[in-house]
Amino acid sequence: MDLPILSIITFLPLLGAFILLFVERRREAFIKGLAFVVSLVGFLLSLHLFAAFRADTPELQFVEKVPWVEGLGVSYFLGIDGLSLFLVLLTTFLSAVAILASFSVVHKVKEYMICMLLLETGMVGVFVALDLLLFYIFWEAMLIPMYFLIGVWGGPRRIYATWKFILYTMAGSVLMLVGIIILYLLGGRTFDLPALSQVSIPPGLQRWLFFAFALAFAIKVPMFPFHTWLPDAHVEAPTAGSVLLAGVLLKMGTYGFLRFALPLFPQASVEFAPLILFLALVGILYGALVSMIQPDLKTLVAYSSVSHLGFVMLGMFALTIQGVEGAILQMVNHGLSTGALFLIVGMLYDRMHTRMIEELGGLYRPLPLLGAFFLIVAFSSIGLPGLNGFVGEFLILVGTFLRSKLYAVLAAVGVILAAVYMLWMLQRVMFGEQRGQEAGHLFDLSGREIAVLLPVVLCILWIGIYPHPFLKRMDASVQHLLQQIQVRQAISHQPSAFRILDLGLRISELGSLHQSFNPKSEIGNPQSSDRRPLIAESLREGWNSSSLR
């Protein structure tokens, strides 16, 4: 029997959190060490996924599937492909880095480390779940530890930031749950993602379902204009919380578009692509311009995420192989670069006790090692050739150019603006006349801080110099995805107005159909005695018989 490697990676942090419950809280050093070892083992296990991954096939790999709630068609279904492989690796890597960076925490250490481990389980689960209900459980469960990380260990306005983060996220999640239920009925009482991706959905219904999923994902990205929760959450979160929020949690939104919205609603995705491309472009330029005027280092880095993730959405909805591969790679690049920027900002704050740019200056002389790391990471965020950011942005711009020359040119302006605000920030913080503490009172990076930053910088250099191992492993899956959504020159004309009341009546009719099902019928078997075809046909007839034509 094959080792259930995905289950081990997903639930090992949960096991670590459970063990910590029985450790005396006064043993802080042991608690920190155990949490780090658990996260590090999870990362080392995830390296097996990278080494054993077959790059020549788009098929799901390391699959684990067993019935969970058979009467409802729910399965414990895990698996990865080239779309999710690197996000799992990014999650386990940054979780270990963030926990090591949290060794300076002194308040409620036991509870803090338990929240960090629970958060890792939720994040990994989102990227490996292939049953929609299981995915939704992980998606929502992840909010609980992040709620406590910001609310308990955050800054002065942490309560406001926490509630804003939760309310925004849950508002989108409720609509997504409605969409999942409709898909469940339409697909014949199954939450199986591969099976649902083969279901033919009427164009009108696709639009509504795409909207339900896209809103939840757009809030999480966050796309303009759903971004307003992000700066507050970033600024008030503890350093490790900001690292995981920027490095991993935001990628759940972009991953959601890639894994669910595009393959499940191909026609609606193509139809709404121009709108999403426009919003992505606005986010790129808006995020860069707002970053230029920020007085707080952490707020500047937070707004830069709006701009960088705009590039991800731009490449994804260009619907070209270069654009989509660039978007996936840029998810990883943003996690590394922006995560490292938040780590460095936290280290500066520990020394200077301020994040205000005007109160900083001339720090390169007393802090040459930290300054060197800061330069490399900032250049990576800009997209300097030889570093990881260049590879992702170049592929995105090439893919976008094939779709729209104008959008590619305007997006390139965003690259220039990124160089402006990042270089200006570096000049004011690291060079010029020293302000704040005297040089003799400052201390450069400790051994632990070097151990936190060095692996991230090595990954930045690796991807920038030799991205082939990454692109090779995602190529087959990206090509398969583009075949799934069947990009075409013309989309069949459909009216833009729908009768929502009629849809509600049709779904209520399906509820009565559901009661007549045989609960012991074999889920997923086309020869079984269940009435899945009846559900699909009923929905189709409902849309066609209403005034949707």
Side-chain angles (χ1 to χ4, degrees):
M1 182 178 179
D2 294 335
L3 190 68
I5 184 69
L6 291 182
S7 291
I8 294 174
I9 294 171
T10 302
F11 293 106
L12 181 62
L14 180 62
L15 176 61
F18 180 74
I19 294 173
L20 286 180
L21 290 174
F22 302 97
V23 178
E24 296 181 14
R25 65 179 64 253
R26 61 184 177 83
R27 301 180 61 186
E28 294 184 356
F30 177 79
I31 290 170
K32 294 175 182 177
L34 178 61
F36 175 67
V37 168
V38 169
S39 62
L40 182 61
V41 171
F43 168 64
L44 295 176
L45 287 173
S46 67
L47 291 178
H48 171 73
L49 304 178
F50 182 84
F53 190 84
R54 291 180 54 198
D56 59 344
T57 176
E59 295 179 359
L60 294 168
Q61 301 180 42
F62 308 102
V63 173
E64 304 171 26
K65 185 176 182 180
V66 294
W68 185 15
V69 186
E70 291 190 71
L72 294 178
V74 184
S75 299
Y76 177 78
F77 188 8
L78 307 182
I80 61 170
D81 59 6
L83 307 180
S84 54
L85 168 65
F86 297 107
L87 294 174
V88 174
L89 288 167
L90 178 69
T91 302
T92 57
F93 175 70
L94 285 183
S95 295
V97 168
I99 288 177
L100 183 60
S102 301
F103 275 28
S104 58
V105 172
V106 295
H107 176 59
K108 297 183 182 296
V109 174
K110 176 178 176 178
E111 291 82 357
Y112 180 93
M113 290 301 171
I114 289 175
C115 286
M116 290 290 287
L117 292 174
L118 292 176
L119 180 61
E120 183 178 357
T121 287
M123 294 186 300
V124 175
V126 165
F127 295 128
V128 299
L130 295 174
D131 180 278
L132 262 66
L133 187 60
L134 183 63
F135 163 80
Y136 188 81
I137 291 171
F138 281 122
W139 176 276
E140 292 294 286
M142 169 274 307
L143 296 177
I144 300 173
M146 181 55 73
Y147 170 87
F148 286 110
L149 284 171
I150 301 176
V152 176
W153 293 274
R157 299 176 68 245
R158 59 186 180 273
I159 303 301
Y160 169 77
T162 301
W163 278 109
K164 196 172 183 180
F165 166 67
I166 293 295
L167 291 176
Y168 265 72
T169 304
M170 292 193 67
S173 298
V174 170
L175 279 180
M176 181 171 66
L177 179 60
V178 173
I180 290 174
I181 294 171
I182 295 175
L183 280 173
Y184 169 77
L185 295 173
L186 185 67
R189 301 175 66 233
T190 180
F191 294 100
D192 188 304
L193 177 61
L196 291 174
S197 65
Q198 303 301 316
V199 175
S200 177
I201 305 175
L205 183 56
Q206 274 199 43
R207 294 189 187 98
W208 286 109
L209 292 175
F210 178 87
F211 174 78
F213 278 76
L215 181 62
F217 300 146
I219 291 172
K220 186 76 79 176
V221 169
M223 287 182 64
F224 178 90
F226 307 106
H227 65 284
T228 56
W229 64 268
L230 179 66
D232 294 305
H234 269 315
V235 170
E236 300 305 322
T239 297
S242 295
V243 171
L244 294 180
L245 183 60
V248 182
L249 266 71
L250 304 189
K251 310 307 178 300
M252 293 179 182
T254 52
Y255 171 77
F257 278 106
L258 196 66
R259 173 64 75 197
F260 300 98
L262 289 175
L264 288 174
F265 321 115
Q267 186 167 332
S269 298
V270 175
E271 187 174 349
F272 281 99
L275 174 62
I276 294 180
L277 289 171
F278 174 76
L279 293 177
L281 184 62
V282 172
I284 291 171
L285 300 176
Y286 168 83
L289 290 171
V290 175
S291 295
M292 293 174 64
I293 62 173
Q294 294 306 313
D296 185 295
L297 265 178
K298 207 171 186 183
T299 310
L300 185 152
V301 177
Y303 273 108
S304 74
S305 293
V306 177
S307 183
H308 289 142
L309 289 166
F311 275 101
V312 174
M313 295 303 299
L314 189 72
M316 190 184 306
F317 277 85
L319 299 177
T320 59
I321 188 168
Q322 296 91 344
V324 176
E325 288 190 2
I328 297 172
L329 190 61
Q330 196 64 6
M331 292 185 213
V332 179
N333 294 338
H334 176 266
L336 295 172
S337 302
T338 305
L341 282 174
F342 277 118
L343 288 170
I344 291 171
V345 170
M347 294 171 185
L348 284 173
Y349 182 79
D350 289 341
R351 290 158 173 78
M352 305 298 296
H353 306 295
T354 181
R355 295 191 301 262
M356 305 306 293
I357 295 176
E358 64 179 9
E359 299 175 9
L360 304 172
L363 296 180
Y364 192 83
R365 287 187 294 273
L367 305 172
L369 198 53
L370 189 149
F373 278 110
F374 202 177
L375 286 173
I376 294 173
V377 174
F379 287 154
S380 163
S381 184
I382 292 171
L384 188 73
L387 299 176
N388 61 341
F390 173 77
V391 182
E393 288 183 354
F394 179 77
L395 286 171
I396 288 171
L397 290 176
V398 169
T400 305
F401 187 84
L402 297 174
R403 171 73 182 246
S404 169
K405 296 179 177 61
L406 176 62
Y407 275 32
V409 171
L410 293 176
V413 175
V415 178
I416 298 171
L417 293 176
V420 171
Y421 69 73
M422 197 63 70
L423 292 175
W424 190 25
M425 179 269 292
L426 280 173
Q427 189 274 329
R428 288 181 290 170
V429 172
M430 301 308 299
F431 303 102
E433 182 181 354
Q434 183 175 348
R435 296 186 292 273
Q437 295 188 20
E438 296 296 328
H441 296 158
L442 297 177
F443 54 94
D444 210 348
L445 294 179
S446 65
R448 179 182 61 83
E449 291 171 327
I450 293 174
V452 168
L453 291 175
L454 185 59
V456 182
V457 170
L458 291 177
C459 289
I460 287 172
L461 294 171
W462 179 17
I463 298 175
I465 296 171
Y466 188 56
H468 175 70
F470 298 84
L471 297 175
K472 178 182 177 182
R473 285 168 171 79
M474 68 178 71
D475 189 64
S477 296
V478 170
Q479 291 192 45
H480 178 67
L481 174 66
L482 293 178
Q483 291 171 0
Q484 271 188 301
I485 62 175
Q486 298 176 357
V487 180
R488 41 195 175 266
Q489 295 294 328
I491 305 170
S492 58
H493 295 286
Q494 297 289 340
S496 58
F498 307 105
R499 293 193 175 182
I500 303 177
L501 178 59
D502 183 76
L503 172 62
L505 292 173
R506 297 293 171 177
I507 294 176
S508 66
E509 291 172 6
L510 290 174
S512 61
L513 276 176
H514 171 72
Q515 295 178 0
S516 65
F517 275 32
N518 177 9
K520 297 183 180 180
S521 62
E522 184 181 353
I523 304 301
N525 181 359
Q527 303 300 324
S528 66
S529 59
D530 63 29
R531 301 186 182 181
R532 292 177 300 138
L534 186 57
I535 285 191
E537 188 61 29
S538 179
L539 268 180
R540 293 190 190 95
E541 290 178 358
W543 284 97
N544 292 332
S545 62
S546 61
S547 57
L548 297 175
R549 297 182 182 179

